[in-house]
Structures are given as C-alpha cells and as structure tokens.
Amino acid sequence: MRVPLSWLREYVDLPATETGRDVQAKLVSAGLEVETVEHLGADLKGPLVVGQVLTIEELEGFKKPIRFCTVDVGQANGTGEPQEIVCGARNFVVGDKVVVVLPGATLPGGFSISARKTYGKTSHGMICSGDELGMGDDGSHGIIVLPPETEVGKDAIELLELVDEVLDIAVTANRGDCLSIRGVAREAAIAYGLPLRDPALLDVPGPNAFGYPVQVSDPFGCDRFTARTVTGLSPEARSPLWLQRRLQKVGMRPISLAVDVTNYVMMELGQPLHAYDRTLVQGTIGVRRAAEGEQIKTLDGVERKLHAEDLVITDDRGPIGLAGVMGGANTEIADHAEGEGTTDVVIEAAHFDAVSIARTARRHKLSSEASRRFERGVDPQAAAAAAQRTVDLLVLLAGGTAEAGVTEVVAPSAPHTISVPADHPDKVAGVSYGRETVVRRLQEVGCDVYGQDELIVTVPSWRPDLQEINDLAEEVIRLEGYENLPSTLPRPPAGRGLTHRQRLHRRAGRALAGAGYVEAPNYPFVSEQVFDQLGLEAGDPARRVVRLTNPLNDEEPALRTSLLPGLLGALRRNDGRGSHDLALFETGLVFLPRSEQRVAAVLPVDRRPTDAEIAELDGALPEQPRHVAVVLAGAREQAGWWGKGRPADWADAVEAGRLVAHEAGAELVVRGGQYGPWHPGRCAEFVVVVDGAETVVGHAGELHPRVVKAFGLPARTSAMELDLDVLEAVGDDTPQAPAISTFPVATQDVALVVDKFVPHAEVETALREGAGELLEGIRLFDVYENEEQLGDGKKSLAYALRFRAGDRTLTVDEASAARDAAVALAGERTGAVLRG
C-alpha cells in the first residue's frame, strides 16, 4: 500500500517537522512494515510553469513529425515574450494549457534543461509529459494537457503536487484495514497520540423504498449491499488534477471521472466500489452463486467460464460482474472525457465473504485491488459511508444529481465480543502493563471495553482479524512497543540435545561439504510428469505420491518421493547461469503415502494432546523417511600447475554413498544394479543387511542419456540417493579407537580372472569371508582386460590382502593358507581362477 504523506496529513495533524522517515520509524515501531519512503520530486528544480500554446508550425523533412511551438508562459521567463519550443508530441493543439520547463531547470533523473538548437530551430525549454516529470502514465501517452481554467505562468510544481513523500507499506494478510489511507491514518494517530479525523464519519441517509431494486440470494456470501444512483453527470467532466495526482501516487492510473472517483474512495476508505452505467443495467441487481458453466466477459476483455462457487452480480440478463473481483464489460462506464460518456450511474458498495472472493480470484487467476481488500477483510460498516462519499464527489465534480432513493440490504449480525482477563497481555509478554494501559490501548484501536478484572471487549468492525484473547494481547504489546520487551535467554534443562537422527543428518552434511559438495535445499513439491522424465516404470512405488489439496503451484501438486528432481533442477539452473563444475547435495524428507488412508483428528487447543492422540495424528500422516542425494557435473578436480584435473564421473557418486555410510557406521555393499534414471551399465546398487535380509537402500552412477536430455542437464551427469534412516537403523556409529598392533603385517597379492559381468563387490565379499579373521584389509588395485591373454568376456581383478594376528607374528605358511582359502571361496562363488 502506497501512502502519500500529504494525503495522510489530511486526517492526522502530524508535526510539520516530521519527515517520511520519521513517520516510517513510528509506524514500524507500531508493527507496520514500511519498506521504503519514496521522495517524489527530490531532484526536481524549477522554473516549471503553466503555458498556453499560441502557435504550432509543422517542420518538414524529418523522419518523425516535429512541431515548432510558441508558448505564452506569462512573466515566468522574465520577459513576458512567447517561449519558442520544439516538440514532437501530437496530443495538443493551439490554445491548450501545457506544462513548460524553462532553461535552468532540472527534471527528475538529473536532466538539466538549457536552450539548444535542434531540427534547425532553437528550443528554449520543453513541453512536458507525465513520464518526464516522474508522475507516471496518465493514459494519454503524451503531453500533459491542463484544464482550460488553469492560470498561465502558475508554478506547475505546486499545481501538480510533484514534491511529496510516499510510504510503501507491506501490509500483512491479517491487516486489511491498512490497505487504505483511513487505516494507516488511524495507526499514525495512535503512534503519535493525536486525534484522527475519520473520513468515514459522514451524514448518510437511511435506506428507503425508492432506491434501485436489489435482490441478495446468498446472504452468507454478501451480508451487506448498498446501492446509490447519481444522474445527470456532465459528459465533458474529467477528473481534476488533485484527484489524478493522488491516484498516481498510490500507484493507480487515472481512467475516467466515475472510475477515478470509485478508485479514490476505495484507497481513502478501504471499501471497494463499482459503478454501473444505469442505462445498461436491465432490471433488478442480484447477488447469487453462478450456475456451473455460465459465462461473463470481464472488464479486461476476457470471456470467463464461471464455477458454481463463484459469487456474481446479475441483472435480468445474467451475470454483470464477478462479485468483489471485477465488473462485467456489458455495464462498463463510458469515458466522460470523450464527450459521450455515461450520464447516469448506479454505485455499488457491498461486503462479501473473504474466503469466497479469495477462491474466485485464484480460480480465475484474476487478482484486483478490490479482491486484495475483500480477501484480507473490509469494514462492513463503511459501505454506506463509501457510497455517500462517492455520490458527493460525483455531484461535486461532474455536476450530477443524487437521487433520494437509498438501497441497503443487510443480513442480521452481532458485533464480535471477546472476554479477556485484564492481566492476560502481561502474562503473554512477561511485562506488567496494568489494567489501565491494556484498556487504553484497546480503546485506541477502536474497541469498546467494559469490566474490571475480566474485560468484555467489543471488536471494531474494521478489525476482523481480532478473533480471540491472544489477538488482543498482541495489540497491546505492539502498541507498547516490541522493542520494550525484555530479552531473556531460555534455559534448557540439562541432558538434552540433538537426537541421534539429527546428529547423523548433520554429520552426513558436514562430510559431503568437506568432500567438496555444496548444499542446495529445494522445495518438496513436484509434478507427476517428472517421473516420466526420470524414466521410472509404470508400477514403480516412487510414482505413488501424496497430493496436496491446496498446492502453492498448480503445476507441482504432489510431495516428492525422491530428492533427485529438485537437485537436478538446481543443477540445470546453475549450469545455465555459467557455473559448469557442480557438485550439489541435499538431505531432506521424502513423502510416501501409507497403504491405509486415514483422516487426521483435530487436536484440542485447551490442553496438551495425549500420547495416544499424537500417535493417531502421526499415523494419519504419510511416511517421511530422510534421504540424502548428490548430483555432479563438469570437472571434479580442476586443472592447473598441480595436474590435468579430471571430470566428475559415476565413481564419484558411488564414493559419496560410501562416505555417508561410513558416517552412519553402516556396512554398505556396492554391486551392479539397474534402476530408473541411471545408465544400466554405470549404475551401482547400495545394499545393507537388515534382520538377516538384504535391503536395497539406494543407487548411484551416471544418469541415462534420455534423463539428461529430458532435464536439460550437462552430458554425463552423475547422481546418488540413499535412505539415511535405514543406514541409521543398521549402523553403529560408536567411535572406535584404531587398533595398533606390535606385530608386523603380511601382504599377499592375488590376481583373479572372472567373467566381465561379475561385480567386483561379489569377489571382494568372497575373499573376505574365505580369508577369515586374519584378514586385516583388502584393496582392489588393478582391473585388466585383454582378450588375447585372458580370453573373450574375461577380466582380471588384482587385490592386495593384508594379514595380521593380534598375538603373534604370522608365518608365511599361515598367510599363504589364508590367501588360498580366500581364493578357493571366491572361485566357488564367482568362478574366479588365479591368473597365469
């Protein structure tokens, strides 16, 4: 919400010395988020005056139309002689009043004006447009043409209110009252301790039987509808400069008098209004829910198909407006400035259900200034005053006549009342405010307060966000100043800290960061089409997802079952922005639907839920195991004077899995595998033993070229994903001190010839088991393939075996016997034979 300081001063007598920065500090202290203070005209320097065009000469021979004008600026130029100016705009004629900047002036942006020769003529100044003066677009896309009655030579800086300060306030969703000058003025008055001149305090005539007929069929969706009629508007009437400038300062474009007036009152009072051309409305105005499939053409020119939950304004023909969102094109006000504008209008000031308006706006992707206010809460009691204010302005500015008929349809309702202990804000804040302070602060925001120890508080109509006692406590605390709350450090009880799961999560993250990976957290939302991009089979369990009832993004309505889609998207974005050597990781939850779908119970708020209630709630939630994943592309080691460097490959992804398993203290078996997004020939399968049975906990390797193409990734991108919770369950991360033996190690090397398809992991496992307890370590140090020496389809795996006993020095025979036993078991299980 943009709030001009000059407009704010109309309702609050702020000290003359107060600047926008001072007001910003006060409002921020009171809880409003004032993001910036814009200084309009800060670098503007005159002379900037009103001139009247005397002559226009069309200059020929140039690529674009150029005009040489003489302009009467009175005595502003010091001589009284006409000012000669070259101008390319076409939207003015002889006799028009325009804004002229004279030599010596400076326009916004530091643009200095001086006499200069151009197009064969000397131009002594400029005829200005709104953009050149920092006013924004006024709809003309050209020179500012002033009303004929404007005095020649008058200071245009003052006339156009070019110097001002504008507060830009980020209004939170619960403070719809501050989406108006009235609401912000109330906050400023409270902050400065000054009285408020409420613009909504108007003499409003009561409803009678002569008003325009209105029929509300859905009192829940529309609990108040006020209609007023103004006739005899002058077709030539246009919005005065002061009204146009105020709309421009709050970020709106002037359109036509009737529309500008409704927008002005909306910004002033916070009540959205709509004006219908009375001659185009046929019969009674109605408010009802739309029939499924009904259509309406809105003011933006779009034909919209309506939903059965949409609230619409109708006449005898059908819908003429989306209630609280946008009016229909079939009753649009014609532009008065064109001389054939609307002369009779019906003014609508209504109050609609916030949830209904919010859903309609989102359903049709049509957010408007009106819908923003209705969905955040509008003062229902302000509707009649807003309608009266609109009528008054139309009568004043367009010479219209207000008809005596007043229509007001109101659904019965009672003010919201809250019972709150007088010391409740004290308990919430930990500060002793006292009853008098609590009562005074609540009265300042507009509440009626009665009672002594137990206060009966009636909430004002403009604060629908005040629903329960903690809302009232927050009002007292914010007005007394958040900065005045004492700072106390919490004292946690001894013996508590991170859980085992949290410690493993952090250790895994630190280990991967130490290995050169960068953490890249992602949102847990995915589209179901991403599983096709990953190449998952139709019946893959990962395709079963939890769908959100109200997703933030319609294109990503499901919760992730894998970390890879988010990480691959992050890798693609970084690669597209010039970072080609990437190693990213993420640890986070994935969401797996349970076989039995249950509805979660609503937990009580007046007591702590029991363990059974919490367990029941947890049972209704999807399973949420924690995974860890990495993705790599580009160079794993950079080239330089130290060496040639090397690219990242599938082995780095496998090593990342080993690293995480080591942190969990889990024994990870790595063997060849085939799954979804990974290349069949370069995919490793991670296996652990759970309760005596092998369980696949993840995969690593190079991604399939089809997956790389589908995601737009660099060639030969590699990835790894592991179930961290399973590793935690089977692992033992108790720190183990290294064993230091006083006896020497015996080393034996073996080279085994096996079929190419036999995984190294199976050979290593057999060697470990066969060697027995004397084996201290085993390392694969060579893989050799040669059809001439080994035969077709064979490979040689060379291992270094380390043997050591804890109580003696091993003999050569003992070490050789352990080696032979290892080779024998490997031959029995994998068909391995000693090489040559």
Side-chain angles (χ1 to χ4, degrees):
M1 176 68 191
R2 291 171 57 85
V3 180
L5 193 58
S6 59
W7 199 349
L8 193 64
R9 289 182 183 275
E10 282 200 6
Y11 310 127
V12 184
D13 290 326
L14 299 175
T17 57
E18 288 292 280
T19 66
R21 293 290 184 191
D22 298 329
V23 178
Q24 177 189 31
K26 285 282 189 179
L27 293 179
V28 168
S29 178
L32 289 186
E33 186 179 349
V34 184
E35 293 187 325
T36 59
V37 178
E38 183 178 351
H39 297 270
L40 301 182
D43 51 356
L44 176 65
K45 187 179 74 170
L48 187 73
V49 298
V50 176
Q52 183 173 23
V53 180
L54 301 178
T55 64
I56 297 177
E57 177 188 349
E58 300 289 345
L59 301 183
E60 305 292 341
F62 300 102
K63 292 183 180 179
K64 61 179 181 178
I66 298 297
R67 311 167 97 187
F68 180 66
C69 310
T70 59
V71 185
D72 178 14
V73 295
Q75 296 298 319
N77 57 6
T79 65
E81 296 293 327
Q83 201 79 3
E84 296 180 340
I85 299 175
V86 175
C87 182
R90 316 290 297 175
N91 67 314
F92 64 95
V93 297
V94 172
D96 280 348
K97 303 289 181 65
V98 294
V99 178
V100 179
V101 58
L102 300 177
T106 303
L107 294 182
F111 183 50
S112 298
I113 302 300
S114 60
R116 64 190 184 95
K117 190 168 184 179
T118 179
Y119 297 103
K121 301 284 187 179
T122 300
S123 182
H124 298 273
M126 284 175 53
I127 302 176
C128 297
S129 67
D131 285 337
E132 289 165 340
L133 297 178
M135 296 169 56
D137 180 24
D138 61 357
S140 67
H141 303 288
I143 293 302
I144 301 171
V145 178
L146 301 171
E149 64 273 12
T150 310
E151 179 186 349
V152 172
K154 184 178 178 64
D155 184 0
I157 295 178
E158 178 182 352
L159 175 70
L160 299 176
E161 301 179 19
L162 297 178
V163 178
D164 202 351
E165 292 181 280
V166 179
L167 309 177
D168 194 349
I169 303 175
V171 179
T172 54
N174 65 317
R175 291 303 304 273
D177 61 304
C178 288
L179 286 173
S180 67
I181 304 297
R182 179 196 184 201
V184 177
R186 183 180 292 109
E187 292 295 317
I190 296 172
Y192 279 93
L194 297 170
L196 170 70
R197 290 188 291 275
D198 192 342
L201 294 180
L202 300 174
D203 291 330
V204 179
N208 54 52
F210 310 107
Y212 198 93
V214 173
Q215 177 65 44
V216 177
S217 302
D218 189 339
F220 176 78
C222 175
D223 57 9
R224 184 179 295 266
F225 194 106
T226 299
R228 299 289 298 275
T229 304
V230 181
T231 60
L233 300 178
S234 171
E236 291 80 20
R238 56 183 291 179
S239 301
L241 285 175
W242 63 267
L243 193 148
Q244 294 185 45
R245 286 297 295 135
R246 286 194 170 177
L247 289 178
Q248 287 172 335
K249 289 177 185 179
V250 297
M252 302 190 77
R253 182 173 64 86
I255 298 174
S256 65
L257 178 60
V259 176
D260 292 349
V261 167
T262 57
N263 286 337
Y264 177 85
V265 176
M266 176 179 66
M267 289 297 178
E268 183 180 54
L269 301 182
Q271 168 67 52
L273 302 110
H274 189 69
Y276 301 93
D277 188 326
R278 184 177 180 179
T279 61
L280 299 178
V281 179
Q282 298 181 10
T284 301
I285 292 178
V287 183
R288 61 169 171 82
R289 298 290 172 174
E292 187 69 39
E294 267 190 307
Q295 293 190 340
I296 182 176
K297 186 176 183 181
T298 46
L299 288 173
D300 58 358
V302 177
E303 193 79 31
R304 301 184 185 277
K305 187 176 181 180
L306 299 177
H307 188 275
E309 292 185 4
D310 291 335
L311 196 65
V312 292
I313 311 298
T314 65
D315 65 3
D316 292 349
R317 295 166 297 178
I320 60 173
L322 268 176
V325 180
M326 184 174 286
N330 53 356
T331 57
E332 183 178 5
I333 296 291
D335 191 354
H336 286 192
E338 296 178 359
E340 297 179 357
T342 300
T343 57
D344 299 340
V345 297
V346 178
I347 305 299
E348 165 209 309
H351 185 262
F352 301 110
D353 175 58
V355 174
S356 176
I357 301 306
R359 288 177 176 172
T360 295
R362 284 158 178 74
R363 188 180 298 119
H364 294 282
K365 296 181 175 60
L366 185 61
S367 179
S368 64
E369 291 288 347
S371 68
R372 286 183 62 225
R373 283 161 175 78
F374 278 122
E375 64 191 33
R376 287 165 173 77
V378 169
D379 181 6
Q381 302 292 336
Q388 182 64 45
R389 177 73 165 140
T390 305
V391 168
D392 292 343
L393 287 172
L394 287 176
V395 170
L396 174 67
L397 302 177
T401 301
E403 289 195 353
V406 177
T407 302
E408 193 163 352
V409 180
V410 181
S413 63
H416 183 50
T417 301
I418 304 171
S419 178
V420 55
D423 62 349
H424 182 68
D426 302 11
K427 294 178 180 178
V428 173
V431 176
S432 180
Y433 292 124
R435 178 189 177 280
E436 278 133 13
T437 299
V438 171
V439 171
R440 174 173 57 85
R441 289 302 190 183
L442 291 178
Q443 288 175 337
E444 285 178 345
V445 298
C447 297
D448 290 331
V449 186
Y450 302 96
Q452 292 299 319
D453 294 338
E454 189 76 15
L455 303 179
I456 306 301
V457 181
T458 301
V459 174
S461 60
W462 56 82
R463 290 299 303 274
D465 59 304
L466 302 182
Q467 293 293 320
E468 47 104 14
I469 60 175
N470 287 323
D471 296 330
L472 301 179
E474 183 181 1
E475 290 300 295
V476 175
I477 295 168
R478 76 174 181 89
L479 294 178
E480 284 295 305
Y482 292 122
E483 68 276 9
N484 295 324
L485 294 177
S487 298
T488 56
L489 290 176
R491 296 181 179 179
R496 295 186 182 181
L498 298 177
T499 65
H500 184 270
R501 188 187 194 206
Q502 290 169 330
R503 289 196 299 271
L504 174 58
H505 174 210
R506 293 194 177 190
R507 285 204 314 274
R510 283 196 295 266
L512 290 172
Y517 292 85
V518 176
E519 187 170 15
N522 295 283
Y523 290 115
F525 312 116
V526 296
S527 67
E528 295 184 63
Q529 288 73 28
V530 77
F531 302 120
D532 296 328
Q533 294 176 294
L534 289 174
L536 300 185
E537 295 180 357
D540 195 296
R543 284 183 175 269
R544 293 186 62 242
V545 295
V546 178
R547 292 179 181 83
L548 299 172
T549 303
N550 189 21
L552 296 179
N553 183 352
D554 291 338
E555 296 180 358
E556 296 179 334
L559 292 173
R560 67 189 178 190
T561 57
S562 167
L563 301 182
L564 288 183
L567 273 179
L568 295 177
L571 186 141
R572 180 185 64 247
R573 286 190 298 274
N574 282 275
D575 180 71
R577 293 169 184 172
S579 298
H580 303 302
D581 303 325
L582 297 162
L584 308 178
F585 83 93
E586 180 179 8
T587 55
L589 302 178
V590 298
F591 305 85
L592 309 177
R594 298 182 186 272
S595 56
E596 180 186 355
Q597 297 293 330
R598 287 186 285 174
V599 178
V602 179
L603 297 182
V605 296
D606 57 342
R607 60 175 173 81
R608 186 188 185 281
T610 64
D611 292 342
E613 289 171 331
I614 295 176
E616 183 182 0
L617 176 64
D618 288 340
L621 298 176
E623 295 181 17
Q624 301 176 51
R626 187 178 295 278
H627 282 201
V628 57
V630 305
V631 292
L632 307 98
R636 186 70 178 118
E637 295 177 3
Q638 296 291 336
W641 58 266
W642 52 85
K644 296 181 179 180
R646 67 175 183 86
D649 61 18
W650 61 270
D652 295 300
V654 174
E655 182 58 28
R658 292 181 184 274
L659 183 64
V660 173
H662 176 74
E663 291 297 325
E667 185 175 347
L668 193 68
V669 177
V670 182
R671 64 191 184 196
Q674 183 173 344
Y675 179 68
W678 282 278
H679 193 295
R682 302 188 182 97
C683 175
E685 185 177 74
F686 294 138
V687 177
V688 296
V689 177
V690 181
D691 297 330
E694 290 188 343
T695 301
V696 177
V697 293
H699 295 83
E702 183 179 314
L703 295 181
H704 197 287
R706 285 196 297 268
V707 175
V708 170
K709 182 179 180 180
F711 279 92
L713 304 173
R716 308 189 77 86
T717 297
S718 300
M720 178 278 293
E721 184 166 12
L722 267 173
D723 189 326
L724 201 54
D725 283 355
V726 176
L727 290 183
E728 178 193 5
V730 302
D732 180 10
D733 57 357
T734 304
Q736 299 290 335
I740 301 175
S741 176
T742 59
F743 299 99
V745 65
T747 302
Q748 298 272 356
D749 292 346
V750 294
L752 303 177
V753 178
V754 296
D755 293 331
K756 281 187 178 181
F757 63 83
V758 175
H760 138 71
E762 291 185 11
V763 178
E764 181 181 314
T765 300
L767 290 172
R768 284 182 182 278
E769 292 184 19
E773 295 181 354
L774 294 180
L775 182 67
E776 182 183 73
I778 182 171
R779 179 175 63 89
L780 175 69
F781 66 86
D782 183 54
V783 178
Y784 177 69
E785 295 181 11
N786 188 309
E787 293 184 2
E788 294 181 1
Q789 296 185 16
L790 303 177
D792 187 22
K794 299 292 185 179
K795 65 181 177 182
S796 170
L797 302 177
Y799 293 91
L801 308 179
R802 292 168 56 88
F803 299 98
R804 195 194 313 256
D807 57 351
R808 68 189 185 279
T809 299
L810 292 177
T811 65
V812 173
D813 292 339
E814 288 177 309
S816 297
R819 179 202 63 188
D820 294 342
V823 171
L825 186 58
E828 179 183 336
R829 289 188 178 178
T830 67
V833 296
L834 281 172
R835 178 180 167 189

